[in-house]
């Protein structure tokens, strides 16, 4: 998706957060952990810009996955991914 000139606000921001969480979940289901990690990080950055009222508009299933379930696998306590695979 191309970068937009104006930052997202209001409903557009909420929709974008939901979209990014859903994309991260689809990558997770496809066992594509590197892509999932990137989308999850982008979703969290946007999610953290939301107000409390806006966060409540995100469906609960998406919020739970973003904050708790994915933290179990991608949290700071986990081993970070390797930078590149070495070929033999």
């Amino acid at each position: 998706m191309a970068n937009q000139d104006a930052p997202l606000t209001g409903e557009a921001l909420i929709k974008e957060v939901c979209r990014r969480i859903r994309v991260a979940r689809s990558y997770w289901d496809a066992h594509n952990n590197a892509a999932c990690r990137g989308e999850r990080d982008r979703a969290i950055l946007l999610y953290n810009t939301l107000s409390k009222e806006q966060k409540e508009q995100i469906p609960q299933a998406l919020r739970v996955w973003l904050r708790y379930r994915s933290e179990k696998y991608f949290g700071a306590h986990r081993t970070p991914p390797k930078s590149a695979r070495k070929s033999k």
Side-chain angles (χ1 to χ4, degrees):
M1 184 173 221
N3 288 337
Q4 298 174 345
D5 293 337
L8 297 173
T9 56
E11 272 311 301
L13 181 59
I14 294 169
K15 286 179 79 172
E16 181 66 10
V17 171
C18 291
R19 185 188 73 79
R20 289 205 179 266
I21 297 171
R22 286 187 180 105
V23 169
R25 283 177 47 180
S26 69
Y27 285 142
W28 174 259
D29 291 339
H31 303 285
N32 189 346
N33 290 342
C36 178
R37 182 183 299 268
E39 276 301 320
R40 179 186 167 273
D41 289 344
R42 290 184 202 105
I44 285 181
L45 286 175
L46 290 175
Y47 182 80
N48 288 335
T49 64
L50 297 174
S51 67
K52 185 176 182 180
E53 294 79 25
Q54 289 174 320
K55 287 179 181 178
E56 291 172 359
Q57 293 179 10
I58 306 287
Q60 184 177 5
L62 297 179
R63 283 185 283 157
V64 167
W65 188 88
L66 181 66
R67 291 183 295 157
Y68 299 113
R69 184 169 184 261
S70 63
E71 184 65 26
K72 177 180 177 182
Y73 298 98
F74 298 118
H77 67 284
R78 301 296 293 189
T79 303
K82 298 196 185 225
S83 60
R85 296 179 99 178
K86 294 182 181 179
S87 61
K88 292 182 177 180

